[in-house]
Amino acid sequence: MFYYLIVCRSLTQAQRTVAALERSGITAHLLRTPQELAEGGCGYSVKISERNLKGALVALHRAELSPIRLYRTVGDGSYREVAL
């Protein structure tokens, strides 16, 4: 199953992102950004399922939250950046 990682600026923004998504009925999980995706060391991301992407982007826009980057998993377990 494929999923998306919404990369956030800070832990606080990631927590706000999770809260906004869950208020919209979208299951979201807070996690550390994988090392290969983290610029400048550490970072936090929010993981959502592929089927929830469109609703998640709408919910984040309404909550005035802007992700830094968005990645989709690919078949071999790596990540591919998706244009926002």
Side-chain angles (χ1 to χ4, degrees):
M1 179 173 183
F2 295 107
Y3 62 90
Y4 285 89
L5 284 182
I6 301 168
V7 179
C8 300
R9 284 183 246 295
S10 65
L11 175 58
T12 302
Q13 185 190 25
Q15 291 168 331
R16 289 178 180 159
T17 297
V18 168
L21 295 175
E22 290 184 347
R23 278 193 304 271
S24 296
I26 297 170
T27 301
H29 303 282
L30 177 69
L31 57 118
R32 295 292 299 241
T33 300
Q35 188 71 26
E36 65 268 22
L37 303 179
E39 291 182 6
C42 59
Y44 291 89
S45 295
V46 177
K47 179 180 172 180
I48 59 170
S49 70
E50 185 175 35
R51 71 177 185 272
N52 290 327
L53 178 64
K54 185 175 180 179
L57 293 176
V58 169
L60 293 178
H61 179 72
R62 286 183 184 149
E64 298 179 359
L65 293 168
S66 301
I68 295 175
R69 291 181 312 280
L70 179 67
Y71 291 93
R72 181 182 186 271
T73 58
V74 284
D76 63 359
S78 62
Y79 300 93
R80 179 158 298 147
E81 189 167 6
V82 177
L84 291 171

